[in-house]
Amino acid sequence: MTLAPAPVLTGPAASALELIGKTPMVEVTRIDTGPCRLFLKLESQNPGGSIKDRIALSMIEAAEREGFLKPGGTIVEATAGNTGLALTLVGQAKGYKVLLVIPDKMSKEKIQHIRAMGADVRLTRSDVPHGHPEYYTDMAERLAQQIPGGFYVNQFANDANSEAHFRSTGPEIWEQMGGDIDAFVAGIGSGGTITGIARYLKSQGSKAEIVLADPVGSTLAGLVNEGVPGPEGGYTVEGIGQNFVPDTADMTLIDRAYSIPDAEAIATVRELLLKEGVLAGSSSGTLIAAALRWCREQTEPKRVVTFVCDTGAKYLSKVYNDAWLADHGLTERELRGDLSDLITRKYASGDVVSVGPDDTLDTAFKRMKGADVSQLPVMENGRLVGILDESDIVHVMDTDEITRAERFSQPVRAAMTRELDTVQVGEPLDALIPLFDRDRVAIVLDGETFVGLITRTDLINHLSLNR
């Protein structure tokens, strides 16, 4: 079949469900791919923003056909977020209630999105292994059994998961690439994507190498490359990687695997946005980093396909937030061996939200809310002259002498604290403890120059990252 040289517009769809699939493919042209050509299938263009829309529709329709899901029923699932979004999209369109169990490390954008769509969200621990009662799959299965009419989707052992990719994603890739594929790269969350597409490619006689992209800390790459589980650990990438082999995953189809550190995945996905203009999620960084490693190892031109699994709009507070990355040790930082190493938001870099003494308390409070902080340094002509925290504002509000509007219109200088608890940047960590014992934030100076603030959380985070 010959593809159209340009996108073909179609008439309006009857519902968002009709827009699932038929996603575009784009070639990477501004990132070093060695002698190879790398193509990205933009699953972020599905109506729910991810590749999981495909399996949600497939699994719900299969449950309806088989009588497991009846009118008025409740869809229950354990999810890293995207399958939950997709199930809610499909479930709401079909009139079902949706209950989702989500590990607490997932981005707030995903959780807010799901709740806004009307799903019942239960957060659970992300630091416990498969088999623990608070592990997300164990909790979801238990809840489904307790709810009348509840149907546990179980994407990890649902044949309709891989079948969706065998019937739709695989054929689309084959058509878009004209059957010319040398390698296909995917991750394993539930296992359906890599299994379904690999099976389809092999059914067409393709000799494409099937490559697993796995986060460091997931055990699956070890099973592929050495036949034993790899070292287990924590990772921040969402949606892929496991400490067990899902029933949906056919590991015999996979030829090789790459373990990708979080920092490499995040750097890759940010480079993708910077150079190719594609806003992708964290798991896409793992996939594309693995694909780039494969491409750069080749000595002859090859054609490689992987995914933009979901939109990066769901990770703006994490992957695309420099302060969050610094807090988690995922950026390249020059360490000086002094208290500045604890400060991820430095005043000299423009990262500190501050206020002036003549700004109003209303302005100060709005800046606190916008930056999600409880205190602001007060700066005048580049010099620290005070600090304002929530308690200072409360004290001004706690009077009947003036109206509420007048209280908020007062200048910051009327409420700020001028007696500052400061430490010099070269002092030891122990110098922070007396300040924290008095419920103060540490104001760090280099001579008379303001460097930044250190909170208890900053200290704990520093000790955690440098155990």
Side-chain angles (χ1 to χ4, degrees):
M1 179 178 179
T2 302
L3 292 179
V8 177
L9 297 179
T10 60
S15 77
L17 303 189
E18 293 185 6
L19 301 175
I20 295 173
K22 302 180 180 64
T23 55
M25 185 92 75
V26 65
E27 182 174 1
V28 172
T29 58
R30 300 181 63 194
I31 296 175
D32 176 19
T33 59
C36 300
R37 297 176 68 186
L38 175 59
F39 301 86
L40 309 178
K41 189 158 175 60
L42 301 182
E43 290 297 296
S44 54
Q45 300 301 304
N46 280 301
S50 86
I51 194 171
K52 298 297 188 178
D53 287 7
R54 296 177 185 265
I55 69 169
L57 184 60
S58 175
M59 292 187 299
I60 289 176
E61 288 183 343
E64 290 173 328
R65 287 193 306 270
E66 295 164 12
F68 295 120
L69 189 56
K70 296 179 171 61
T74 300
I75 297 167
V76 182
E77 182 59 331
T79 170
N82 282 326
T83 302
L85 280 167
L87 287 170
T88 306
L89 174 74
V90 178
Q92 294 283 34
K94 289 176 170 285
Y96 300 111
K97 296 187 280 293
V98 181
L99 186 154
L100 304 171
V101 180
I102 302 178
D104 56 15
K105 77 172 185 176
M106 301 310 159
S107 71
K108 64 182 182 181
E109 288 92 346
K110 284 184 185 176
I111 295 169
Q112 290 167 346
H113 189 171
I114 291 169
R115 283 181 168 150
M117 292 177 71
D120 180 358
V121 175
R122 311 288 178 89
L123 294 180
T124 190
R125 294 169 60 181
S126 57
D127 62 344
V128 292
H130 183 57
H132 189 283
E134 292 188 65
Y135 189 72
Y136 69 141
T137 57
D138 297 81
M139 181 179 288
E141 184 173 10
R142 187 170 64 251
L143 288 170
Q145 293 169 352
Q146 297 169 354
I147 297 171
F151 167 64
Y152 177 39
V153 177
N154 193 7
Q155 60 180 308
F156 301 95
N158 193 319
D159 290 339
N161 179 344
S162 59
E163 183 65 17
H165 296 295
F166 184 87
R167 289 188 291 103
S168 68
T169 326
E172 288 177 27
I173 291 172
W174 188 254
E175 179 183 342
Q176 288 170 308
M177 297 296 293
D180 186 4
I181 308 169
D182 295 297
F184 166 68
V185 182
I188 289 179
S190 62
T193 302
I194 199 166
T195 299
I197 294 171
R199 284 176 177 166
Y200 180 81
L201 294 178
K202 292 181 184 302
S203 76
Q204 300 302 304
S206 173
K207 303 298 183 183
E209 187 169 346
I210 308 301
V211 179
L212 172 65
D214 207 34
V216 169
S218 169
T219 63
L220 301 178
L223 289 172
V224 174
N225 293 333
E226 287 88 33
V228 295
E232 185 176 347
Y235 48 91
T236 61
V237 167
E238 299 180 24
I240 58 172
Q242 296 291 357
N243 60 4
F244 69 100
V245 178
D247 292 342
T248 309
D250 185 349
M251 304 298 285
T252 65
L253 298 170
I254 303 171
D255 298 302
R256 66 180 304 183
Y258 293 92
S259 290
I260 305 296
D262 283 333
E264 183 180 350
I266 290 169
T268 300
V269 82
R270 289 181 64 125
E271 183 182 16
L272 181 71
L273 177 59
L274 185 65
K275 294 184 177 178
E276 304 287 344
V278 177
L279 181 64
S282 58
S283 64
S284 304
T286 304
L287 269 59
I288 297 167
L292 289 171
R293 286 197 194 183
W294 192 93
C295 287
R296 293 165 183 167
E297 290 173 1
Q298 306 308 305
T299 57
E300 299 177 357
K302 301 286 180 67
R303 288 159 60 91
V304 184
V305 174
T306 191
F307 293 113
V308 171
C309 308
D310 66 351
T311 171
K314 301 173 183 177
Y315 307 87
L316 295 178
S317 65
K318 299 177 72 173
V319 173
Y320 298 96
N321 180 344
D322 292 340
W324 184 91
L325 294 177
D327 285 342
H328 289 76
L330 294 172
T331 55
E332 293 288 338
R333 294 182 63 208
E334 180 181 353
L335 299 180
R336 298 178 53 183
D338 57 27
L339 292 180
S340 68
D341 293 343
L342 282 70
I343 303 172
T344 56
R345 299 162 183 82
K346 293 184 173 64
Y347 180 73
S349 303
D351 298 329
V352 175
V353 178
S354 63
V355 70
D358 295 320
D359 287 327
T360 65
L361 292 179
D362 185 51
T363 296
F365 180 60
K366 287 176 179 176
R367 289 184 186 173
M368 284 182 182
K369 288 200 301 181
D372 193 24
V373 296
S374 58
Q375 66 278 314
L376 295 174
V378 184
M379 307 298 297
E380 186 173 34
N381 299 322
R383 186 172 62 89
L384 181 71
V385 296
I387 192 163
L388 181 79
D389 65 24
E390 293 168 338
S391 63
D392 296 323
I393 298 177
V394 168
H395 288 315
V396 173
M397 298 298 112
D398 188 23
T399 175
D400 294 326
E401 296 177 4
I402 55 177
T403 66
R404 184 174 298 172
E406 289 174 320
R407 294 170 190 167
F408 276 101
S409 65
Q410 288 192 77
V412 166
R413 67 172 70 251
M416 71 185 193
T417 300
R418 290 178 170 81
E419 295 181 6
L420 305 178
D421 291 304
T422 65
V423 292
Q424 287 295 315
V425 71
E427 294 187 49
L429 290 179
D430 290 347
L432 302 174
I433 305 303
L435 301 180
F436 296 153
D437 285 343
R438 299 199 302 272
D439 290 327
R440 303 294 179 88
V441 62
I443 301 167
V444 182
L445 302 179
D446 186 358
E448 295 185 358
T449 302
F450 175 56
V451 180
L453 304 177
I454 299 176
T455 65
R456 289 185 181 90
T457 300
D458 294 326
L459 174 59
I460 295 169
N461 189 58
H462 174 77
L463 296 174
S464 176
L465 292 174
N466 299 276
R467 300 185 187 190

